């Protein structure tokens, strides 16, 4: 059997100050060229897992390999961090008073000055920052700085690019642009990208494979569409969508006959009808989202969400009939 590109076997990292924190017994593999997203709520161990893969954190148990070779930890190397990997840090790590091209060029050796210049220019073009070459970092916006940091990280052609919450400092428009950049880079340069995010949309839009972390454990993995469609855990559904769960007893009033303890429903699995029924839900709140509305519905203290794609159609306080088109069972 061929070696996996990246492989983690029974990897745990427990911090001595808090033995419960960290990650536990992680088993996973990552293929070359894959775009992987590590998703989980805050404190679930995402950054810990990323640092273990990079080698800036040593596991307390288990084994990590890259191309079949042991990944050296921080005490086994002079310069922590795997030579074939680059981590794009949140603080960008740029030389603020140097020019853009200087920040990028400085990553390359001086052996061939002409080639060095050309490669930097190519990289700036690729990331759409060619026009900024002569500007100092302090003169750039946050989004532009992030592109420079990205250019710096990949100019040396690392095999793996690690990203920890790369979108956290960007506004919505820049976020969309940066997502598109990353996707393109992964495809064009064939870099394996491992990205940590607390925003599941990042993972859903970009990743070939998602790893879902909960309390330091890897609870499920797979391609975004399959995981979203058939999550094995309610936690995953809540994380990825606006899912809610109901005791099956309550779901009976919506025509669901289930022997499981709970049923899980995404808002988009609910149909609304304004027809008369005694089992109506009341529209408690309407959240306008632009091209749709998120409706908060209530009946006898139970609250559920539904999506209305025709904004303005319903009024607060109105009664609606709820029809469940699909649901998943959980015990
Ligand atoms: P995430 O990135 O998903 O928010 P982290 O990997 O940063 O989670 O942290 C996972 C858990 O480990 C948290 O409970 C956090 O408090 C704890 N932790 C992280 N870094 C350290 C550290 N250096 N020392 C002690 N505990 C830590
Ligand atoms: Mg983190």
């Amino acid at each position: 059997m061929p070696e996996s590109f990246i492989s983690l076997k029974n990897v745990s990292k427990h911090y001595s100050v808090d033995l419960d924190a960290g990650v536990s017994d992680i088993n996973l593999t990552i293929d070359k060229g894959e775009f992987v997203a590590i998703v989980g709520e805050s404190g679930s161990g995402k950054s810990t897992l990323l640092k273990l893969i990079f080698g800036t954190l040593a596991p307390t148990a288990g084994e990590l390999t890259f191309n079949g070779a042991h990944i050296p930890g921080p005490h086994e190397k002079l310069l922590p961090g795997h030579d074939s990997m680059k981590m794009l840090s949140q603080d960008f790590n740029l030389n603020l008073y140097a020019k853009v091209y200087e920040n990028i060029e400085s990553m390359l050796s001086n052996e061939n000055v002409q080639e060095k210049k050309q490669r930097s220019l190519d990289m700036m073009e690729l990331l759409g920052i060619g026009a900024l070459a002569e500007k100092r970092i302090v003169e750039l916006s946050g989004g532009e700085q992030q592109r420079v940091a990205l250019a710096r990280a990949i100019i040396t052609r690392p095999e793996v690019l690690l990203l920890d919450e790369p979108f956290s400092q960007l506004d919505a428009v820049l976020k969309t642009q940066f997502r598109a950049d990353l996707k393109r880079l992964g495809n064009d340069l064939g870099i394996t990208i491992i990205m940590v995010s607390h925003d599941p949309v990042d993972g859903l839009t970009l990743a070939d494979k998602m790893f879902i972390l909960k309390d330091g454990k890897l609870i499920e993995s797979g391609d975004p569409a399959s995981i979203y469609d058939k999550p094995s855990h309610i936690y995953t559904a809540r994380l990825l969508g606006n899912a809610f769960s109901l005791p099956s007893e309550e779901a009976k009033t919506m025509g669901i006959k289930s022997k499981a303890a709970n049923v899980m429903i995404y808002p988009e699995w609910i149909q609304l009808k304004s027809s008369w029924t005694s089992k109506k839900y009341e529209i408690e709140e309407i959240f306008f989202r632009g091209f749709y509305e998120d409706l908060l519905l209530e009946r006898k203290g139970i609250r559920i969400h539904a999506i209305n794609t025709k904004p303005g159609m319903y009024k607060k306080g109105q009664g609606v009939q709820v029809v469940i088109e699909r649901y998943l069972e959980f015990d």
Side-chain angles (χ1 to χ4, degrees), residues 15 17-18 21-22 40-49 51 164 196:
Y15 295 100
V17 283
D18 180 359
E41 57 190 15
S42 176
S44 57
K46 304 181 296 294
S47 297
T48 302
L49 184 56
K51 288 177 200 159
D164 196 345
V196 156

Side-chain angles (χ1 to χ4, degrees), residues 29-321:
T29 59
I30 294 169
D31 294 335
K32 192 169 173 59
E34 238 179 353
F35 198 132
V36 165
I38 300 169
V39 181
E41 57 190 15
S42 176
S44 57
K46 304 181 296 294
S47 297
T48 302
L49 184 56
L50 203 65
K51 288 177 200 159
L52 285 165
I53 295 173
F54 191 33
T56 47
L57 207 57
T60 33
E63 175 62 13
L64 298 97
T65 59
F66 174 74
N67 276 330
H70 164 74
I71 296 180
H75 307 300
E76 300 165 68
K77 279 192 88 228
L78 225 47
L79 272 176
H82 200 285
D83 296 335
S84 306
M85 306 188 196
K86 272 275 152 44
M87 170 95 81
L88 182 62
S89 58
Q90 274 171 0
D91 55 12
F92 302 156
N93 237 329
L94 298 171
N95 182 348
L96 292 179
Y97 296 98
K99 291 177 178 171
V100 167
Y101 83 89
E102 291 167 336
N103 267 277
I104 297 169
E105 269 188 14
S106 64
M107 296 301 289
L108 299 172
S109 76
N110 270 324
E111 271 168 41
N112 185 335
V113 178
Q114 198 47 45
E115 189 199 315
K116 182 171 163 168
K117 202 166 194 97
Q118 194 55 49
R119 272 178 69 183
S120 306
L121 284 173
D122 290 348
M123 185 53 72
M124 287 188 282
E125 281 313 312
L126 187 69
L127 287 174
I129 49 175
L132 305 175
E134 296 290 332
K135 285 201 170 184
R136 286 173 206 287
I137 301 297
V138 279
E139 298 168 333
L140 304 183
S141 71
E144 289 166 343
Q145 289 188 12
Q146 186 154 28
R147 282 185 183 208
V148 180
L150 180 61
R152 246 175 86 89
I154 58 176
I155 184 87
T156 53
R157 293 291 173 114
E159 288 188 66
V160 182
L161 176 66
L162 305 162
L163 304 151
D164 196 345
E165 309 271 0
F167 307 105
S168 55
Q169 309 200 24
L170 302 181
D171 63 44
V173 175
L174 287 175
K175 201 168 162 162
T176 309
Q177 272 175 18
F178 195 61
R179 274 196 196 122
D181 283 346
L182 276 183
K183 186 95 182 168
R184 198 164 44 90
L185 284 177
N187 289 339
D188 291 1
L189 305 181
I191 301 181
T192 304
I193 299 178
I194 308 176
M195 175 186 75
V196 156
S197 178
H198 68 272
D199 183 349
V201 177
D202 299 335
L204 287 172
T205 2
L206 292 171
D208 301 311
K209 189 151 82 189
M210 288 176 107
F211 292 115
I212 311 289
L213 284 191
K214 178 175 192 277
D215 300 330
K217 297 203 173 56
L218 176 62
I219 60 165
E220 59 184 311
S221 62
D223 72 279
S226 310
I227 287 205
Y228 186 90
D229 205 50
K230 279 208 173 59
S232 312
H233 299 263
I234 289 181
Y235 169 88
T236 307
R238 286 212 186 95
L239 200 66
L240 300 186
N242 204 0
F244 56 87
S245 61
L246 291 174
S248 293
E249 196 56 34
E250 168 64 20
K252 267 189 197 159
T253 65
M254 299 178 216
I256 295 176
K257 292 185 195 76
S258 168
K259 291 198 177 73
N262 297 288
V263 297
M264 186 287 283
I265 303 162
Y266 284 116
E268 67 270 24
W269 291 353
I270 287 186
Q271 276 276 341
L272 299 177
K273 292 196 173 145
S274 24
S275 60
W276 182 254
T277 157
S278 58
K279 287 167 182 162
K280 277 187 301 189
Y281 272 73
E282 186 184 306
I283 298 181
E284 190 170 83
E285 206 60 71
I286 299 177
F287 301 101
F288 182 55
R289 299 266 196 255
F291 65 94
Y292 74 95
E293 287 170 349
D294 173 14
L295 305 182
L296 178 64
L297 311 173
E298 190 267 348
R299 195 180 92 94
K300 294 185 180 168
I302 304 267
R303 287 181 171 77
I304 64 174
H305 282 270
I307 282 172
N308 170 32
T309 52
K310 297 192 180 68
M313 187 172 163
Y314 297 107
K315 297 215 159 26
K316 222 169 128 168
Q318 189 179 340
V320 285
Q321 188 192 346

